[in-house]
Amino acid sequence: MSFFKKRAGKFIGNVVRELTDKAAPQQHQEQHQEQLHNTQHPQPQRNHGDSFQQPFAAPPLNDHFVEVQPPQKPTNTFTADGTLEALKLPDEHHNTIPDFSRVGYREGHVRIPVVPVSVIVEPSNNDTVDDTARIQSAIDQVSAQPLEPIGEDGAAVRGAVLLKAGIYRVAGALIIHTSGVVLRGEGQDESGTIVVATSAIQRDFILVNGMLNSDMGTVEKQQALAKTKEMMPTNGYKSSKKPTTTTMTGVYVPVGETHIPVESIEGFSVGERIVIERPGSDEWINDIGMDNLPPRPDSAASVQWKKETFTFKFERTILGIDDVTSALIIDIPMVMSLDPKYPPAKVYELIYRSPMISDVGVENMRLLSECDPVNSEDESHGWYAVVMDNTLHGWVADVTTMHFVSGIFASTWSRYVTIQDCSVLYPVSKPTEGGRRYQFCLNGQMGLVKRCFTNNARHDFITLARCCGVDANNDTGPHERWAMGTLYDNITCNTINIRQRLWKGSGQGWSGAYQVVYSCTAHSQKSCFQDAPGATNWIIGFKGGQTKQPEFEAQSTQMMAANATVEPRSLYWAQLVARVGDAQLVENRVGETGRKSYPPTL
């Protein structure tokens, strides 16, 4: 589950909006501010069904559950009553809009802590000095300190490395690899902390990753390892001694549901973190037409989808156990339906193969990539400015990046990461080639982008393949291969697409499903919204034009309240307030009132 929210002007607390490309440079041409819920937590609705008689027929309800709302087909009208009730009607498959309110750092309702400073680093004030080792040594010094509890909801930190205002030159990469460590500057503007990525190495610059070592950031290591698998290690799940189970035979679990009927509840307990693993299947891939992708126009073969690479693993926490219906009640709703015509999902205890780091952050600084001043397509320099991976509960806040190939990336094994009040500006790269100018990218689970800006992007706010949860020359939206459960809330951009991409890339096919576009604006007339077979997207209060000639034919998504103002103004904010139960408390913690502040410069 993911969420993008953008900022321009004031919204009850957290909203991202886009400024126009014509904004002055002093305004950073801040065009897109969105909140992206990379959500794997939809909203609960107790509707279940027996096996289908034919692919994607509307399932009948199961006898164990009571129907709360009769399934209805989407309509062109949308009754906005200022509450969430009008958004809870299920579609013909009993899917409902997920609840995105638990995304982001410590589920989004907790203020990001101000971590005490442990080590202070002064700028060298020497253009010939490489500060890589000096800053990394400070990070390692703090990493050796003990964890101390701070703030709310179980956070524990070691301390912050404070880079005093001035210019730092880093020829390698900086690595945070231990829980409770924060890298902080003294401001994003020209009088604040500016960290320059020097040297002609194509590498990610600041890496927050529990599976890396600090010595991997040296210039020598980066020259050898940058952008290799060693710098992008993959985590996984370990087997548990506790029993596993499967979803109940013959029961359909729709998107938005939090009650998961299972064959056995034995051995499971309230508060336990679990994985719900929906296996890939040849039948499902055939049903959505992704086993017969045509070749590209240049005659290169498309990569056909295979079941081995389309197993989806959703991380959840058990909030309750229903003995009567043999159901696990989870904290975050499903963002992918569990259809009994396909193999049942497995449910097991969540144990990471490699421990995740937590309560880590990068904040309050400017990151600048040094590039060829006469080559606007230079790519021999910094790639992503910040990458977070193998991280559980982290943040990037009040950071401006300039001239990197891409921006800020919460990667595959990131969980509950917040990116807020950041700007990704003036990327330098080939402007139209793939894999570049991905400004705010969520590819993990339960990620949140809020009050952020970008310009000159290819993809300003984006998710990548199988994601469980600005003046762009391309688009905003899911990019490839079935990203699920993302909310785009109050985004202003050039184009938003949720569509069939078929042979694009190497066979990207359906870019996403169960996506929510809420109160967004696109300036072009080229947006495209399409539903994959058996799936639903929700497009509510969209202002902008749609293409009359989609690149690939598919079922168009039914629009609701097109070109109209809808209430509540932000779906994410309304869901968060509804869950917490106190609007002022939420505002004070994570709204405009509760924006992160820093101790005064000494």
Side-chain angles (χ1 to χ4, degrees), residues 25-40:
Q26 301 93 297
Q27 298 171 316
H28 300 309
Q29 295 184 355
E30 295 162 338
Q31 288 199 336
H32 293 289
Q33 181 181 22
E34 317 176 50
Q35 291 178 337
L36 166 81
H37 293 331
N38 185 354
T39 164
Q40 298 202 352

Side-chain angles (χ1 to χ4, degrees), residues 52 54-59 92-93 284 287-288 339 341-342 533-535:
F52 291 130
Q54 57 184 353
F56 308 121
E92 62 266 38
H93 298 290
W284 175 70
D287 284 345
I288 62 173
D339 189 334
K341 71 175 292 187
Y342 306 124

Side-chain angles (χ1 to χ4, degrees), residues 82-148:
T83 72
L84 295 175
E85 295 307 312
L87 298 171
K88 293 181 179 179
L89 290 178
D91 67 8
E92 62 266 38
H93 298 290
H94 309 297
N95 301 306
T96 56
I97 292 176
D99 179 359
F100 294 91
S101 70
R102 291 183 183 270
V103 300
Y105 176 76
R106 296 206 171 267
E107 299 190 349
H109 63 275
V110 173
R111 181 185 293 110
I112 293 174
V114 178
V115 177
V117 172
S118 293
V119 176
I120 296 176
V121 180
E122 298 283 350
S124 58
N125 295 318
N126 187 332
D127 289 348
T128 66
V129 171
D130 177 12
D131 294 307
T132 306
R134 203 159 57 94
I135 298 174
Q136 189 63 56
S137 177
I139 292 172
D140 293 345
Q141 182 179 338
V142 175
S143 299
Q145 296 178 0
L147 286 168
E148 299 289 346

Side-chain angles (χ1 to χ4, degrees), residues 24-25 28-29 401-404 424-428 439 455-456:
H28 300 309
Q29 295 184 355
T401 82
M402 299 180 70
H403 306 324
F404 286 84
V424 175
L425 306 175
Y426 309 110
V428 175
Q439 308 298 66
N455 67 3
N456 299 350

